Amino acid sequence: MRYAQLVVGPAGSGKSTYCSTIVKHASDSKRIIEVVNLDPAAEHFDYEPLVDIRELIHLDDAMEDEELQFGPNGGLVFCIETLLENSDWLQEQLGDVDDDYILFDCPGQIELYTHLSVMRKIVDLLQSWNFRICVVFMIDSQFMVDGAKFLSGTMAALSVMVNLELSHVNVLSKMDLLTKTARKQLDNYLDPDPHVLLADMRNAKSKWHEKYAKLTEAIGEVIENFSLVRFYPLNIKDEESIENILLTIDNIIQYGEDADVKIRDFEELDPEDNENYD
């Protein structure tokens, strides 16, 4: 069995920072976790990738081609589709190492996860190669400190869960950048209660809420009825916070449960020795 995290989320949500943080934390714990870069537009990251999609195709290749003439969004989709067409290349680059643990650092285009099928096909490929996968959906905590934005983020997370159909962990990144006031406010949202969200929106006296109050309440009921979305805060400056996230994901993908239990064989006591204990 092989293990993987599919790290997804909007642009700027901290996906690459999360990957480098997990790699460093694992190294300090004498664990080996590798990273695969699936973002053809990536410019800089603090880890050494095991596989880099840019060696196969770069976003600039799709945008500068005179026949294709893609924009940034269309170019990203084209690059991932090209990766799918060259799945043998990816499989060869990944190798076939049992019990390896890999983070797949994905592009920051939310459509790839919410409704397009291309990432679902990537998931199917990885599963056929014996990977047990958990989706890690990153979202910037700085944009989630009021009811309306949190409701929007919750629906985005729910869309990704429905589209990818995998075990799922929603992570609020950049908690270390929040003020104390914002952090206290965010604590009310970590396990979303639609009634709290709706009350906050009413108190904000939003013109949108006044006009579409029934729609907002209906969305809140969807969140409450299905109880599928929960967020885990991540502070990359707090080792305990990092360990809690990693432990949660390890439990979901059952990492380490297939390992043989080490049993120490005890020598049987000589009968004469037994007499000494009588």
Side-chain angles (χ1 to χ4, degrees):
M1 184 58 65
R2 309 173 75 181
Y3 305 91
Q5 296 182 28
L6 196 69
V7 185
V8 306
S13 58
K15 297 181 294 297
S16 295
T17 301
Y18 168 83
C19 290
S20 58
T21 299
I22 293 295
V23 167
K24 183 181 183 302
H25 180 81
S27 178
D28 293 342
S29 306
K30 310 302 180 184
R31 285 179 59 179
I32 298 176
I33 295 181
E34 302 281 5
V35 185
V36 169
N37 174 45
L38 292 185
D39 185 358
E43 295 181 355
H44 172 74
F45 33 69
D46 294 327
Y47 57 79
E48 186 65 33
L50 174 68
V51 184
D52 192 342
I53 189 177
R54 296 175 302 175
E55 296 178 3
L56 176 69
I57 186 170
H58 196 285
L59 178 61
D60 291 342
D61 300 333
M63 293 179 62
E64 294 173 0
D65 189 286
E66 293 182 359
E67 293 184 4
L68 297 175
Q69 295 184 337
F70 281 117
N73 292 338
L76 276 171
V77 175
F78 177 80
C79 289
I80 300 299
E81 289 175 342
T82 301
L83 178 65
L84 280 170
E85 293 172 0
N86 293 271
S87 59
D88 292 344
W89 175 84
L90 179 60
Q91 187 175 20
E92 182 181 350
Q93 295 291 314
L94 288 174
D96 188 15
V97 181
D98 198 27
D99 289 333
D100 57 349
Y101 198 123
I102 300 176
L103 311 180
F104 290 86
D105 188 4
C106 298
Q109 186 178 358
I110 195 67
E111 303 99 299
L112 290 170
Y113 321 113
T114 55
H115 59 275
L116 295 179
S117 62
V118 62
M119 290 308 296
R120 176 69 238 186
K121 292 176 182 177
I122 293 286
V123 166
D124 292 340
L125 262 182
L126 295 176
Q127 289 178 326
S128 72
W129 297 339
N130 208 30
F131 276 99
R132 189 177 288 164
I133 309 169
C134 176
V135 173
V136 181
F137 180 70
M138 309 289 296
I139 193 160
D140 190 338
S141 59
Q142 297 178 96
F143 298 106
M144 302 283 278
V145 291
D146 69 65
K149 292 177 182 177
F150 199 94
L151 196 60
S152 176
T154 300
M155 292 304 294
L158 191 56
S159 296
V160 175
M161 294 171 69
V162 170
N163 190 39
L164 296 181
E165 298 179 312
L166 283 172
S167 300
H168 201 100
V169 171
N170 301 301
V171 174
L172 287 174
S173 62
K174 305 184 183 181
M175 290 292 293
D176 53 300
L177 302 181
L178 291 180
T179 63
K180 289 184 178 180
T181 302
R183 198 171 303 176
K184 288 181 180 178
Q185 189 174 357
L186 195 58
D187 285 342
N188 297 326
Y189 300 154
L190 292 180
D191 197 358
D193 182 341
H195 301 294
V196 174
L197 297 178
L198 293 172
D200 286 350
M201 294 172 70
R202 290 191 191 99
N203 294 336
K205 297 180 180 179
S206 165
K207 291 184 178 179
W208 169 271
H209 180 71
E210 290 176 3
K211 186 174 182 179
Y212 297 104
K214 291 184 178 180
L215 174 61
T216 304
E217 290 173 8
I219 294 173
E221 288 177 4
V222 170
I223 296 172
E224 182 179 36
N225 292 341
F226 288 91
S227 300
L228 289 173
V229 181
R230 180 184 177 188
F231 290 91
Y232 295 85
L234 174 63
N235 182 345
I236 62 172
K237 295 182 179 179
D238 183 350
E239 290 296 321
E240 184 178 354
S241 175
I242 300 168
E243 178 63 25
N244 287 339
I245 294 290
L246 186 56
L247 182 60
T248 297
I249 297 169
D250 286 349
N251 288 336
I252 288 172
I253 59 179
Q254 299 176 306
Y255 173 75
E257 293 187 10
D258 295 333
D260 294 332
V261 178
K262 295 181 179 180
I263 301 175
R264 179 180 295 174
D265 294 327
F266 293 93
E267 295 181 0
E268 293 186 5
L269 289 173
D270 187 277
E272 294 182 0
D273 294 333
N274 281 337
E275 293 177 0
N276 297 330
Y277 292 96
D278 291 339

